[in-house]
Amino acid sequence: MATKVVIENAVLRGSQQEQFWQKVATVYLDGGEEFNVVAPPKATGDALEWLKQFQVRSPTAQGYNPVTDGRSQSIIQQVQAELEKRKLDSEIWRSGTNPDGRYVAAQICLRGHVLNVNGTDFERGEHCPKCGEASIDACQHCKVAIRGGEIYASTTDYKLPYFCHKCGRPYPWMADRLSTAKELLDHDDKLLLEDREKLWGLLQYVMSDPKSDMVPAKRKLFEIGLGKALPATREFFLDFVAKYLAEMTKS
Ligand SMILES: [Zn+2]
Ligand SMILES: [Zn+2]
């Protein structure tokens, strides 16, 4: 049986409506006859984990007919083979849904331009159309996938993450800004060494947990400490912190 298997969703997101089964694949048999392979509404994550609960359906003008004869098993096996092959290919392609099934995947260039966060599959390692930089879709330290938005949220609400939600290290676009900031502090000769260290500590505190109750107080101390710095340093940091906090705390 020569067939064509088109995978629709290798990672399942769960259905918001209980009656809606999720399409995993469309299969075209030799003569062009079409079948849909679906997974239960509650299924989330890697579709391969739900193989035993797959159903095969034959679409009709009115809806669909379940397929329960011998073809069903063979169709599911071919979908399984295709899903397994795709898993091996994931070095090249990343599913648009994060492996956790709760967030979409994100592809972001090293400078922080978002290439892809709309839930579609994408080719890994593409370069940024805005600046030409390489892109990543996972933390470079712990390899955990960067989260896009929550799966049913609008992509326009997406907030660029600055730190890995798993290991807490800054993503490259943040690491760059932080090292620029550190350099500015270190080269400000109006500041004593201990002022620099204190300011750096306060800055990291504010950035690592922007929603903490302590942030307004720490921010105040930071601004007071900056009073001794060169005007250019002061301006840079006030702007840096204000922008950062605005992005991180807007709801
Ligand atoms: Zn870019
Ligand atoms: Zn990480």
Side-chain angles (χ1 to χ4, degrees), residues 109 113 128 131:
C109 96
H113 299 124
C128 177
C131 73

Side-chain angles (χ1 to χ4, degrees), residues 172-190:
W173 44 94
M174 191 61 193
D176 277 357
R177 293 195 220 181
L178 281 173
S179 62
T180 309
K182 184 90 169 61
E183 234 166 81
L184 250 176
L185 267 188
D186 287 348
H187 288 92
D188 190 323
D189 49 21
K190 295 264 185 186

Side-chain angles (χ1 to χ4, degrees), residues 108-115 127-134:
I108 301 173
C109 96
L110 297 176
R111 291 193 193 164
H113 299 124
V114 177
L115 275 69
H127 287 258
C128 177
K130 284 195 188 124
C131 73
E133 264 293 1

